[in-house]
Amino acid sequence: MEASDCFSHLEQRRRILRATCEVVGRIPFASVSVQLICDECGISRSSFYRAFSSVKDIAYWYQLYCATLGCYQIGKSLNIVEGHTVSIGLLSEFSPVFGNLFRNWDYDFSLPAVTTHIEVMKDVLREHGVTVDAVAEYKLDGIARMAHRMIERWFNNGMDIPARELAEIIASQYPKDLRRVFDAPLSPMEPTQVASMLLGAAPR
């Protein structure tokens, strides 16, 4: 897919997300249907399904979108505080969806993002020349679960502190040996690389 097509498709997904946010302002996320989103967005159901396979995938995708630009860049192009600040800030742009979701849905919404976060952190450690042994895996599992649970709690508390302050609290919980690694970014990614990653984030 050409870079221009990537960004066009991303904008379509964000348009659908904005429409979903409007609908969620009126009803719980769990009650939102594809048709309601299409009516709000002014698109056909076929257009919706070219972007997402279900309503649930919208929230999954945007959470992974935010992570791809933020916390998944930690140790690559951003340090720990920067990465979490970006992710949290982007999530907060659509707080009606995610705040409503955390309060009203009865499944572990963060599980896919947690699992991906752990794999991304393993790759970062390997890129830095660090061996990923059993001890490191336990630490990475703890980091990912802690970060995502704290963000859920932040939404449930009405985003009661600034995003950067929450990011600093999360960063303070990283084990010292891993913090030294993740606070040493390697290099920024090209925009087209990021776009491709963002498109691939949505479950299909």
Side-chain angles (χ1 to χ4, degrees), residues 10-63:
L10 283 172
E11 180 50 39
Q12 176 76 324
R13 287 185 176 178
R14 287 181 61 87
R15 183 182 169 199
I16 292 170
L17 176 64
R18 288 192 289 270
T20 305
C21 194
E22 292 297 320
V23 175
V24 170
R26 301 190 292 268
I27 63 175
F29 189 90
S31 300
V32 175
S33 68
V34 170
Q35 191 59 56
L36 284 172
I37 294 170
C38 290
D39 291 345
E40 183 70 33
C41 200
I43 60 172
S44 65
R45 291 174 67 89
S46 60
S47 293
F48 176 93
Y49 286 117
R50 279 195 293 272
F52 297 106
S53 60
S54 70
V55 174
K56 182 167 62 176
D57 284 351
I58 300 170
Y60 277 139
W61 172 74
Y62 192 65
Q63 188 182 35

Side-chain angles (χ1 to χ4, degrees), residues 1-2 19-20 25 41 43 45 49 61 64 69 74 80 92 99 103 127 146 152 164 166 169 196 198 200-201:
M1 185 180 288
E2 297 292 328
T20 305
C41 200
I43 60 172
R45 291 174 67 89
Y49 286 117
W61 172 74
L64 292 172
L69 290 178
I74 292 171
I80 297 171
S92 70
R103 289 189 296 273
E127 289 174 19
M146 171 273 299
E152 286 184 16
R164 186 174 180 87
L166 177 61
I169 293 169
S196 296
L198 293 174

Side-chain angles (χ1 to χ4, degrees), residues 71-72 110-126 132 136-146 148 182:
C71 65
Y72 294 173
S110 289
L111 187 58
V114 167
T115 302
T116 306
H117 193 181
I118 292 167
E119 293 306 312
V120 169
M121 288 192 292
K122 286 181 185 178
D123 290 341
V124 170
L125 290 182
R126 294 186 186 106
V132 180
E137 289 199 16
Y138 276 108
K139 290 180 180 180
L140 296 178
D141 183 85
I143 289 170
R145 293 179 187 279
M146 171 273 299
H148 288 272
F182 289 116

Side-chain angles (χ1 to χ4, degrees), residues 29 43 87 108 122 153 157-158 170 174 176:
F29 189 90
I43 60 172
S87 288
D108 189 353
K122 286 181 185 178
R153 180 178 178 181
N157 287 344
I170 291 171
Y174 276 62
K176 289 183 180 179

